[in-house]
Amino acid sequence: MATKTEIESLVYLLDDPDPYVKSEVKNRLFELGEKAVPLLDQQKNETKNDSEKELINEIIQYITYGNLEEDFLDVLDGGLSNLRQLERAVFILSRFDNPTLREEEYMRKLDRFADMISGKIQYQPDETRQIHILMDFVFEELKFTGSTVDYYNPDNCYINRVIDRRQGLPISLALIVLFLARRLNMPFYGINMPIHFMLKFKGDKEEVLIDPFDSGKVVSYNQCYFFLKQNGVDPKSKHFEITSEAEILARCIRNLIQSYAKLNAEHKVESLKKLLNTVEMMCK
């Protein structure tokens, strides 16, 4: 059983210039396996050295990747056919960045968010008003917003970091709305439009497109057609069809791959590609 002192010593020795020492230290950490993760995580939180934090995080990721992959595959084996399963999958994906993430805490946060407006939604029969209540709550009261300054930051992709920082990509902001809408029994769906992920509300009387990156504003099909043409994409009707949970998950992973590729984090890119290949098989 590892002790805190041993973990501190091992982490310290990771900076040793002797490659043999570094190799032996890593072998010992990998030998300890998941038993060392709580102490490694504690050491990561206590150190003020950013490079040491990153190194410890990489070691934890390496040790825990097998369990993450196993949990990920378990969700996919369930069919990934509804938003509840998708939510579970994207939180497991967040463990790729934060292996010790307590997923249930964030799910409870989403529960609390939904509880805050469930009464307003329940007693408002008008679908247009229901849409406005939810959009105002997410983008004005909770202050979720599109990340325009540091768009390719991986933090914009991980759902827990999006909840913490209140900013993200179009698809990650859309997920916040979709997961709340599921709890509120509201008919929101994902639209896998090229370049810019969108939302659709499809109720008994209303059917509208919504841009999650622009404070949840309702947009027209003509605006979307113009946007796609401006960006060199020939608009097709399939671009506005409701997409599957598997397609949404695949796009989330592709965004992460793109973010890490820009950071030259090739080891992370390769691990994510393995997960993506599995998901893409479900999309065929």
Side-chain angles (χ1 to χ4, degrees):
M1 176 66 72
T3 64
K4 188 173 187 298
T5 301
E6 181 184 8
I7 294 296
E8 288 174 347
S9 300
L10 289 170
V11 170
Y12 176 78
L13 288 171
L14 282 168
D15 278 335
D16 194 287
D18 187 335
Y20 175 78
V21 172
K22 293 178 79 167
S23 175
E24 288 299 300
V25 168
K26 286 186 176 180
N27 287 339
R28 172 57 179 160
L29 287 168
F30 299 150
E31 178 186 304
L32 291 170
E34 296 225 354
K35 293 178 290 186
V37 170
L39 290 172
L40 281 167
D41 192 50
Q42 184 180 344
Q43 179 70 9
K44 182 185 75 172
N45 293 331
E46 290 176 357
T47 183
K48 293 181 171 58
N49 186 312
D50 289 339
S51 61
E52 186 175 293
K53 280 180 185 287
E54 179 60 25
L55 184 56
I56 294 172
N57 208 46
E58 285 183 17
I59 292 169
I60 295 175
Q61 285 177 332
Y62 187 90
I63 291 172
T64 59
Y65 179 78
N67 273 353
L68 181 151
E69 187 176 38
E70 186 177 325
D71 289 347
F72 196 77
L73 292 174
D74 281 347
V75 174
L76 298 187
D77 285 344
L80 199 63
S81 58
N82 58 56
L83 286 174
R84 185 185 294 276
Q85 291 169 324
L86 176 62
E87 182 176 322
R88 175 74 175 133
V90 296
F91 275 112
I92 291 172
L93 183 61
S94 289
R95 281 166 39 199
F96 187 80
D97 173 67
N98 184 353
T100 56
L101 176 71
R102 293 176 176 84
E103 304 154 49
E104 294 77 12
E105 289 184 9
Y106 285 90
M107 292 179 183
R108 285 195 292 270
K109 283 186 180 182
L110 292 172
D111 290 342
R112 289 195 294 273
F113 289 159
D115 288 343
M116 290 169 69
I117 57 166
S118 61
K120 290 182 181 179
I121 297 293
Q122 183 180 354
Y123 295 109
Q124 176 53 257
D126 183 83
E127 290 181 343
T128 301
R129 284 296 306 140
Q130 287 182 350
I131 295 168
H132 284 301
I133 289 170
L134 181 55
M135 294 305 102
D136 288 348
F137 177 69
V138 172
F139 298 106
E140 292 187 19
E141 188 170 340
L142 296 180
K143 300 189 184 304
F144 280 92
T145 186
S147 179
T148 56
V149 177
D150 193 12
Y151 189 85
Y152 293 103
N153 187 331
D155 280 349
N156 292 323
C157 303
Y158 293 115
I159 193 70
N160 63 305
R161 296 297 294 140
V162 173
I163 292 172
D164 287 339
R165 299 165 69 241
R166 297 290 201 271
Q167 58 180 299
L169 304 180
I171 192 168
S172 50
L173 295 173
L175 288 174
I176 298 297
V177 174
L178 288 170
F179 296 156
L180 292 181
R182 178 184 71 78
R183 289 164 167 79
L184 296 164
N185 295 313
M186 297 179 70
F188 274 88
Y189 304 92
I191 302 295
N192 205 17
M193 192 177 82
I195 304 172
H196 198 92
F197 195 88
M198 301 288 285
L199 286 165
K200 178 182 281 188
F201 178 92
K202 189 175 182 180
D204 295 329
K205 298 178 180 178
E206 293 289 336
E207 182 173 331
V208 294
L209 285 176
I210 293 168
D211 185 354
F213 202 67
D214 190 14
S215 302
K217 290 181 180 176
V218 172
V219 296
S220 68
Y221 284 94
N222 284 340
Q223 286 174 301
C224 293
Y225 271 69
F226 181 71
F227 169 81
L228 290 176
K229 286 183 176 180
Q230 267 193 322
N231 287 275
V233 178
D234 183 25
K236 295 180 172 60
S237 58
K238 67 178 183 179
H239 294 156
F240 305 98
E241 295 173 357
I242 292 171
T243 193
S244 69
E245 286 78 9
E247 288 284 1
I248 294 174
L249 182 58
R251 186 159 176 169
C252 288
I253 299 173
R254 289 190 200 103
N255 286 337
L256 272 173
I257 290 172
Q258 186 177 21
S259 293
Y260 283 123
K262 288 182 178 294
L263 295 172
N264 296 316
E266 288 303 318
H267 62 293
K268 293 185 178 181
V269 169
E270 291 308 309
S271 294
L272 286 165
K273 282 181 177 178
K274 292 179 186 177
L275 298 181
L276 178 61
N277 288 339
T278 305
V279 177
E280 286 182 332
M281 289 174 62
M282 298 181 63
C283 301
K284 292 179 181 179

